[in-house]
Amino acid sequence: MRILVVNVNTSASITESIAAQAATAARPGTEIVALTPAFGAESVEGNYESHLAAIAVMEAVRAYREPFDAIIQAGYGEHGREGLQELFDVPVVDITEAAASTAQFLGRTYSVVTSLDRTVPLIEDRLTAAGLAARCASVRASGLAVLDIERDLRAAVDAIAEQAVRAVDDDRAEVICLGCGGMSGLGERVRERTGAPVVDGVTAAVTIAESLVHLGLHTSKVRTYAPPRPKAIVNWDPPRARG
């Protein structure tokens, strides 16, 4: 089985971190292929960058020429999952939805701890669109920019753990979701501070993608995610899609 894990930003070091975290969850025989978009922002922290990343991620997958069995969109609260589902019939798993759905097996409520406050509405909107918001106790911002997490890991853990503790104590969350692909690998350190289960979206997404493939399931094409209708697209020459 081959799973494409697509970073939403153009930071190669974040792609490497995401790939390493995905590999920890992969079963024997699962190949993780990490992709970095060819264009876009070095970190995605707002609507413009998120919409740009959606196109970049779709084009990165369209340009990949080898067979694959599933796609993971490794960006928290980002746009584009629906477009991938139109283009491809393999399972497509978004890490936001993977983390939240997994959290609901572990406790009555969950909270998301993310990066900057401006990303909170994007995550809330994604959870609402996915039907996963009802049991979300809160979405809390650590105040860290995405690239800050790499630059000072100890400070990042402290900031994320502080908000996770507040989510448990003040918001009555029973499970914590790490709300940024760049936070991959920090789960155990946050769990030690809170005592609550901590869900990493990348590893949750790998497990879900593997399960869907093993069940022989694919993205429905009967209505919402039917392939795009053939038509002229002006001044754009994307690579040919693999269906």
Side-chain angles (χ1 to χ4, degrees), residues 5 30 73 208 210:
V5 181
T30 296
Q73 178 172 287
I208 291 169
E210 287 180 325

Side-chain angles (χ1 to χ4, degrees), residues 15-132:
T15 302
E16 292 172 4
S17 175
I18 290 169
Q21 185 66 9
T24 66
R27 302 177 188 178
T30 296
E31 179 186 3
I32 300 295
V33 176
L35 301 180
T36 304
F39 60 91
E42 62 178 347
S43 62
V44 179
E45 295 165 329
N47 280 285
Y48 169 74
E49 294 164 353
S50 180
H51 282 287
L52 182 62
I55 301 298
V57 165
M58 286 186 277
E59 297 314 302
V61 179
R62 285 162 68 96
Y64 186 79
R65 297 303 182 188
E66 300 299 321
F68 55 88
D69 302 290
I71 303 164
I72 293 172
Q73 178 172 287
Y76 220 93
E78 311 304 343
H79 300 88
R81 185 261 296 161
E82 296 87 348
L84 286 168
Q85 288 182 293
E86 286 189 3
L87 291 172
F88 304 99
D89 59 4
V90 301
V92 179
V93 183
D94 171 83
I95 66 170
T96 319
E97 298 168 14
S101 58
T102 300
Q104 292 182 115
F105 288 104
L106 306 174
R108 181 175 177 273
T109 58
Y110 69 93
S111 283
V112 178
V113 179
T114 188
S115 52
L116 298 177
D117 182 68
R118 65 176 296 159
T119 67
V120 170
L122 278 74
I123 294 171
E124 291 174 340
D125 287 350
R126 172 52 66 185
L127 294 173
T128 298
L132 295 165

Side-chain angles (χ1 to χ4, degrees), residues 113 140-143 154-171 176 189-190 193-194:
V113 179
R140 285 182 164 269
S142 64
R154 178 174 295 180
V157 171
D158 288 342
I160 294 163
E162 178 185 354
Q163 293 303 318
V165 169
R166 290 185 180 182
V168 172
D169 292 345
D170 299 342
D171 307 330
I176 299 298
R189 278 172 276 192
V190 177
R193 306 278 190 95
T194 63

Side-chain angles (χ1 to χ4, degrees), residues 163-222:
Q163 293 303 318
V165 169
R166 290 185 180 182
V168 172
D169 292 345
D170 299 342
D171 307 330
R172 313 308 294 168
E174 298 178 5
V175 183
I176 299 298
C177 295
L178 297 179
C180 173
M183 294 178 183
S184 290
L186 304 185
E188 182 59 27
R189 278 172 276 192
V190 177
R191 187 198 63 77
E192 290 172 356
R193 306 278 190 95
T194 63
V198 177
V199 181
D200 173 87
V202 172
T203 53
V206 170
T207 301
I208 291 169
E210 287 180 325
S211 298
L212 293 171
V213 173
H214 279 294
L215 290 170
L217 298 174
H218 60 86
T219 296
S220 173
K221 297 296 176 180
V222 301

